[in-house]
Amino acid sequence: MAAGFKTAEPLEYHRSFLKENCRPDGRELGEFRPTTLNISSISTADGSAMVKIGNTTVICGIKAELTTPPSDAPNKGYIVPNVDLPPLCSSRFRPGPPGEQAQAASQFIADVIESSDLINMEELCIEKAKLCWVLYCDIMCLDYDGNLLDACIIVLLAALKNAQLPEVTVNKETDLAEVDIKKKRHLKISRHPVGSSFAVFDDSIIIVDPTAEEESLSTALMTVVTDEEDQLCAVHKPGGTSLSGEKLQHCINRAITRNKEISKLVDKVIGSMKTTK
C-alpha cells in the first residue's frame, strides 16, 4: 500500500514523514547519509579519490601537465575542473555533450576553487611567463542519487591532497624543461572548503543532503560552502523559493559543523595511507 501511495502521490508521501520530523529513509531532517572516502583509486592519475554519500558515488582523477602560464597571470598555474554525468550514473542523463547540470556543476567547482583560495596558484608556477603546471581535475559521477555538489567538493579536496607532482627545472642552456620523476612533492592545500546542500519543502521545511527524489520534489535547493576557519566561501542557490535570514544562518551553522566532520574524515584517510606505506 505504501509503495503505491509513494508512486501515486510522491509529494504527499514525503510530507507524511516530514510532519513527524523524519524522512522516508529513516534520517532526521538535519542528518547526512553515511559518507565514505577512498584515495589513490586510479593508479594512472597523479592524484585521485572516490567518495560515497549514501548511494551517490563520485570519482576524481587529476592529471598534471606542463604549459605556458596565462598572459594575465604570468606567475601562476591553473586548475581546470570538469564534472561528467554519464548515462551510467542515472537514466536522467543522456549520451553526448555535457548537459546543463554538468556544466553548472563544473562552473560551481571552478568558482569554489577561486573563492576559497584552495591552492595558491603561484605554487604551480615553475618559471614566470615560461612554464607552469595545469591540473586537469576530471570528476565523474558513477551513481547519482542527489547531492552531487557536496560529493564533488569532497572528492576534489581529497584528490588534490593525494596528488604528487615531480620536480621540474628549466635548463638554462637549452631552455627546455627537465622532469625528475624520482623527486615528487605534495601540493600545499591552503584551505579546506566543504559543501553542505539543503532542500526546501513547501517553502519552509529545510532538509540536508537530499536524495535525487527529494531534490525533484523540493521548492528550492541550496549549497553552502565553508572552510576550516568557519569562513563562508560560496552560496549556490539556483532559483526556487526565498529563504529568511534566520533560516540561511541555520544552514550556514550546519555547514560549519559538516566541515569539521568531513575534514576529520579526509585527514583520517590521508593519514591511514601514509602509515601503510
Side-chain angles (χ1 to χ4, degrees), residues 25-162:
D25 57 9
R27 286 185 290 157
E28 295 178 4
L29 304 188
E31 187 180 345
F32 281 84
R33 290 170 290 179
T35 304
T36 56
L37 177 66
N38 186 4
I39 58 172
S40 295
S41 313
I42 308 171
S43 59
T44 53
D46 295 306
S48 62
M50 184 173 77
V51 71
K52 284 192 74 168
I53 302 178
N55 290 329
T56 296
T57 308
V58 177
I59 194 165
C60 175
I62 295 175
K63 288 299 285 183
E65 292 185 7
L66 293 169
T67 187
T68 307
S71 56
D72 58 337
N75 62 334
K76 293 181 179 181
Y78 49 104
I79 299 176
V80 182
N82 180 61
V83 178
D84 187 16
L85 298 172
L88 77 93
C89 75
S90 172
S91 58
R92 72 176 64 199
F93 304 117
R94 295 281 174 267
E100 187 180 338
Q101 187 173 352
Q103 291 182 50
S106 298
Q107 185 57 54
F108 173 71
I109 298 300
D111 292 343
V112 168
I113 291 169
E114 186 176 351
S115 64
S116 66
D117 291 327
L118 179 61
I119 287 180
N120 181 0
M121 296 301 175
E122 291 180 8
E123 297 275 344
L124 297 177
C125 185
I126 297 160
E127 185 156 326
K128 187 175 179 180
K130 282 189 177 181
L131 198 64
C132 74
W133 286 108
V134 53
L135 305 181
Y136 292 103
C137 305
D138 289 313
I139 302 169
M140 178 180 282
C141 183
L142 304 179
D143 191 347
Y144 183 89
D145 189 23
N147 202 1
L148 172 73
L149 297 182
D150 286 16
C152 288
I153 296 172
I154 295 170
V155 82
L156 175 68
L157 176 63
L160 286 170
K161 292 194 81 146
N162 173 243

Side-chain angles (χ1 to χ4, degrees), residues 228-246:
E228 74 280 10
E229 294 181 358
D230 302 346
Q231 296 294 312
L232 191 62
C233 301
V235 175
H236 178 67
K237 188 175 179 297
T241 53
S242 60
L243 283 177
S244 67
E246 185 183 350

Side-chain angles (χ1 to χ4, degrees), residues 12-24 29:
E12 287 301 325
Y13 176 78
H14 276 76
R15 279 175 180 153
S16 66
F17 284 91
L18 296 175
K19 285 175 188 171
E20 304 299 325
N21 287 329
C22 67
R23 291 149 80 174
L29 304 188

Side-chain angles (χ1 to χ4, degrees), residues 198-207 222 224 241-255:
F198 304 85
V200 183
F201 272 85
D202 295 334
D203 305 341
S204 58
I205 302 170
I206 296 176
I207 62 171
M222 181 174 71
V224 177
T241 53
S242 60
L243 283 177
S244 67
E246 185 183 350
K247 281 189 166 60
L248 182 59
Q249 188 58 55
H250 166 75
C251 293
I252 293 171
N253 291 341
R254 183 64 185 94

